[in-house]
Structures are given as C-alpha cells and as structure tokens.
C-alpha cells in the first residue's frame, strides 16, 4: 500500500492537542490473501501447475522463477487485481512478498508488468493442455479423497455462457442469443451421487459465435469422461446437456461410451411437433378443466435424417397461461438413453441441470471475476490473444451453494399444473 503522510489535528476536542498521522511505512490491505496461500500449500495446486511448464529462458538472466510468476499472477487475480498493470504497485506490497516466501520488508521486489506479460505470452497450446490436465486432476483427486470410493454416480453438466466484450478485442463476435458482442466460455461441472454441491472442473474459452455442435466439444467431453472414469471406475456417469449440443457427432459418441446415461435437449421441428400434438390435445383438455397450466408427458422414437439410428425422445406437452390469461402451447423435447418414466426423466434428470445456470450466475457476480478469467481446462483456448492464455485460479475449488434456487418464470405456473403421462406413436 502506498505510504500516506497526511496528518489530522483535533484542536477543539481535547484539552491537549492530539495529532493523528498516517505514516506507517509498511502496510497492506490484502491480509486475507494469506489464507489463500495456506489453501494452496495444502492443495499443492500452484506447485503442480508450475511443474507443467518448461523454462526456456537464459538461466543467467532469470530473476523470477516460473513458479513465482505463476503464483504472483494467480494470487493477484484471486485478490481482485485482474490487470497485469497492477504489478507496478504490488511489487513492494509486504503481503504479496509474504505470499511468494519473501521478507515483507527486506525481500526483493516482485516482477513487473512487462515480465508478467512476457510470461503470459510465452504459454502456448501445449502448455495450456498440460495445465488444464493438472488442474482438472487436482479437482477430481480432491473429490476422490473426500468420498473415499463411495460414489454411485457422477453427473457432468456442460453449459456455455456469455462474457460481454467492449472494443476491438480479438475473437469477439456478436451473439444473437445474448444480443451482445461477447466471448462464449464453455463451463463444465461435476456433482457426486445426490449431493447438491457442484464443482467447476473445466472452462474452455470460445469466440462469441462459437457453436457447441463441433468435434472440439466432443473431444473435451471425451477427455473429461476419461478422467472421471479413471478416478471412479465403478460409478455410472450421467451427462446433462441443453439443445445447443444436439448433433449426430455428439449422440454417436454418447452411445459408444459404456455406463454413460445422458439427457440432451432437442429443438422443435415439424416431425416432433406432429408427434407431440396428441399430447398437447390432452394437455389442453386438462387446462380447460382447471383453468390452470397443465402438462402431459410422453415419449416416442425419433430419427433425424443425419442420425444413423432412432433414439428415445421424451416429450413434455405443456399448456401455459401468459400474464393476460391466454393459453399457449409449450412443447419440449429431450433425447435420452435412460429407461425411467418420461416424467421422471424430464423433471428429475433434465430439469435439475437448471442449477448450473445458478452456478454460472455466481461466477458472473463473483467479485473481480469474469467468465473469461476462468482457466482454459482440458481443451485448447482460442489462440492469438495473450489474455486467453492467462492462468486463472478461480475454478479449481469452486463449490456451489445448495441454498440458491432459481425463481419461477412469471408467465408459467408449473407447480400447480396437472400432469399426465402418455405415449406418442
């Protein structure tokens, strides 16, 4: 913290003059960061990440080790200093010197902004992959130790989110869904058994116009499934995806993985609309009888032209009333290989993924954090921009709060909706 020499005088308050002077030569406002260092020492996280890097600099000219640069950047980010320019005023900060095992008073100063920028730009796609793997393993291994093998099933959730951008930033594009120029990070979470907590394990930074229907997403998922399977070989893996991931490549991969149960949203089309019509007729009758929203669940076999085989599709035929009291159709479709009833699969298996949106909102509103500042784990980030290769500390141990629940949409009243389950042909 910068030294302040301002002095206050209280001549009329006390009988004797009192002078209050702020001239402490060594002080810092980041004392809480010491707890971060204690957690890092227990998890050995930065040490594992530093082990993934190869120092190609000339040894005689090296003043700051790669591990020190990595720790300085991560601790700075976690303390709210997102910009490398902050290194100029933190170079002499006593707390940050302690974080890097230096004397807070006589210890050498920390690295400067140019040094940190060169470090960030020296990290390429191969290093990112190794860092991603190390960080993901750290998250999974910690859960291994906590659960001690008592894992029946592991649930994987993938979901993209918007990170609005401003100015001429590389790979920022307009996204019509979010109605803004943005990046589109893809986040992955793990949850275990029936626990409400969810753990952020992967984050892949993507351009704002990226689509989830690519081999990149399938490759990332394949690596994540491999890590989970290696750590929990007896557990069933469950996967929940929204309709943006529905494509032939994804379904072919999911069907090829043993002991993997999936639910994936599916966009409405003319064929699915015809299959849902008998269920919507039944839902309309229920809604007319009660003057409330009504839902009917059913299923059918469906094969798109690009699919090699037919798959089970769950149908939710719902009639909802808007704020003016007018009914409208609200059909939804989910592809799955699970065997439970349509109502169970839609409400318990698929709709539960809505909690992930709450976790993402928490990351959006985390002090000093934006989604693109999460680590690019398991998959390679978009190359070209230095900040895309920065090493982020926020995702490694992010656990969810089980008390945060989404509110109902104002135009829908699903809690009061009568429900029936029918089969579509």
């Amino acid at each position: 913290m910068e030294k302040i020499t301002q002095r206050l005088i209280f001549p009329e308050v006390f009988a004797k003059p009192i002078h209050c002077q702020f001239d402490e030569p060594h002080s810092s406002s980041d004392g809480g960061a010491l707890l971060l260092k204690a957690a890092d020492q227990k998890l050995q996280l930065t040490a594992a990440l530093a082990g993934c890097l190869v120092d190609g600099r000339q040894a005689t000219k090296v003043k700051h080790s790669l591990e020190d640069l990595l720790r300085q950047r991560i601790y700075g980010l976690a303390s709210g200093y997102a910009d490398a320019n902050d290194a100029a005023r933190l170079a002499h900060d006593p707390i940050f010197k302690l974080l890097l095992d230096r004397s807070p008073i006589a210890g050498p100063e920390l690295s400067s902004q140019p040094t940190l920028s060169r470090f960030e730009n020296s990290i390429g796609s191969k290093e990112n992959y190794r860092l991603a793997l190390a960080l993901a393993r750290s998250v999974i291994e910690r859960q291994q130790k906590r659960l001690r093998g008592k894992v029946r099933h592991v649930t994987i959730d993938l979901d993209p989110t918007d990170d609005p951008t401003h100015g001429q930033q590389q790979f920022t594009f307009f996204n019509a869904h979010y109605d803004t120029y943005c990046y589109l990070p893809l986040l992955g979470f793990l949850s275990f058994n029936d626990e409400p907590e969810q753990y952020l394990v992967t984050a892949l930074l993507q351009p704002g116009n990226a689509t989830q229907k690519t081999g990149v997403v399938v490759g990332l998922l394949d690596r994540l499934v491999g890590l989970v399977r290696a750590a929990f070989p007896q557990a069933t893996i469950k996967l929940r995806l929204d309709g943006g991931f529905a494509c032939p490549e994804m379904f072919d991969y999911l069907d090829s993985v043993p002991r993997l149960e999936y639910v994936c949203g599916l966009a409405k089309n003319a064929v699915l609309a015809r299959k849902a019509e008998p269920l919507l007729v039944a839902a309309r009758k229920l809604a007319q009888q009660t003057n409330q929203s009504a839902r009917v669940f059913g299923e059918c076999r469906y094969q798109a032209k690009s699919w090699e085989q037919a798959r089970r599709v769950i149908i939710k035929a719902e009639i909802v009333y808007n704020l003016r009291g007018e009914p409208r159709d609200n059909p939804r479709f989910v592809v799955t290989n699970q065997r439970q009833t349509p109502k169970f699969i839609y409400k318990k298996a698929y709709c539960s993924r809505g909690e992930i949106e709450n976790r993402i909102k928490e990351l959006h509103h985390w002090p000093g954090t934006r989604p693109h500042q999460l680590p690019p784990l398991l998959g390679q980030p978009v190359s070209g921009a230095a900040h895309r290769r920065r090493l982020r500390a926020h995702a490694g141990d992010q656990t969810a709060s089980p008390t945060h629940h989404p509110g109902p949409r104002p135009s829908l009243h699903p809690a009061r909706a009568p429900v029936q389950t029918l089969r579509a042909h």
Side-chain angles (χ1 to χ4, degrees), residues 268 273 276-277 279-281 283-284 294 316-321 326-332 412:
K268 176 183 175 181
E277 184 57 32
L279 303 178
L280 286 170
V281 171
R284 293 187 192 105
K316 183 197 74 169
E318 183 178 32
I319 304 299
V320 298
Y321 288 86
E326 300 170 345
R328 68 178 181 87
D329 296 347
N330 184 41
R332 291 289 186 270
L412 306 181

Side-chain angles (χ1 to χ4, degrees), residues 24 27 47 67 111 150 205 274 332 343 348 350 408:
E24 172 60 39
S27 61
E67 184 171 357
S111 62
K150 299 178 181 179
L205 190 59
R274 288 197 299 269
R332 291 289 186 270
K343 178 181 176 181
K348 299 296 183 180
Y350 183 70

Side-chain angles (χ1 to χ4, degrees), residues 82 162-166 169 181-183 185 363-375 387 392 394:
D162 65 312
D163 181 15
T165 57
H166 310 278
Q169 299 188 44
Y181 285 87
C182 63
Y183 296 130
L363 291 172
H364 271 283
H365 295 92
W366 193 274
T369 305
R370 293 176 61 197
H372 81 263
Q373 294 174 337
L374 299 170
H387 67 271
R392 307 300 184 181
H394 299 79

Side-chain angles (χ1 to χ4, degrees), residues 8 24 43 56 59 75 91 154 191 228 239 268 294 299 305 406:
L8 300 179
E24 172 60 39
L43 297 174
Y75 293 156
V154 180
S191 53
V228 173
L239 177 67
K268 176 183 175 181
E299 64 178 275
K305 291 182 179 180

